[in-house]
Amino acid sequence: MSCRTAGFFSAAIDDAVLVVSELLSNALRHAHPLPSGMVRVAWLRSDDHLEVAVSDGGAATEPRAGRPTLSSLGGRGLGIVEYVAESWGVRHDGDTTTVWAILPAPRASLNGQVKALKEAG
């Protein structure tokens, strides 16, 4: 079942797409592929959260949110993930590194009530 079919707010789906995009581009830019030559994207849906994860073959450095200067051309990806997600982190399993994020993903309607999204600011 897709998140849209499950009734999640469009904004929650947009946040998940943004986070997966950031994690995937970091894996492609900074890490080695898995032994299969690929990276893996996975997600797990619960009632009001969505966990997204990107697994790769690891890199020489540990993924961490940077604090780039205003004139920097990059380095903001995990900072964006940190802002949008309720939590995020890194798991290691042998030669596999997985960066995961848990996002609020309230459904548009639960028992006839609308849940509020996290406000920016």
Side-chain angles (χ1 to χ4, degrees):
M1 176 183 299
S2 74
C3 290
R4 192 170 312 285
T5 304
F8 290 127
F9 281 108
S10 292
I13 296 168
D14 292 344
D15 286 349
V17 169
L18 172 65
V19 168
V20 168
S21 172
E22 293 296 341
L23 298 182
L24 188 56
S25 40
N26 281 350
L28 294 173
R29 178 171 295 149
H30 301 294
H32 300 287
L34 293 166
S36 64
M38 300 180 172
V39 296
R40 180 176 45 244
V41 176
W43 59 91
L44 178 63
R45 179 180 49 83
S46 70
D47 285 338
D48 59 352
H49 288 88
L50 183 64
E51 180 178 348
V52 296
V54 174
S55 300
D56 56 48
T61 59
E62 183 79 4
R64 62 180 173 79
R67 302 291 179 244
T69 64
L70 290 175
S71 61
S72 294
L73 298 178
R76 292 174 178 80
L78 287 176
I80 292 169
V81 171
E82 191 171 75
Y83 180 78
V84 173
E86 286 186 355
S87 60
W88 74 278
V90 181
R91 287 190 299 260
H92 298 283
D93 182 23
D95 292 335
T96 301
T97 298
T98 300
V99 182
W100 56 269
I102 297 176
L103 301 152
R107 293 176 191 249
S109 177
L110 293 173
N111 297 329
Q113 297 178 349
V114 175
K115 287 189 142 189
L117 294 175
K118 180 172 91 174
E119 291 185 23

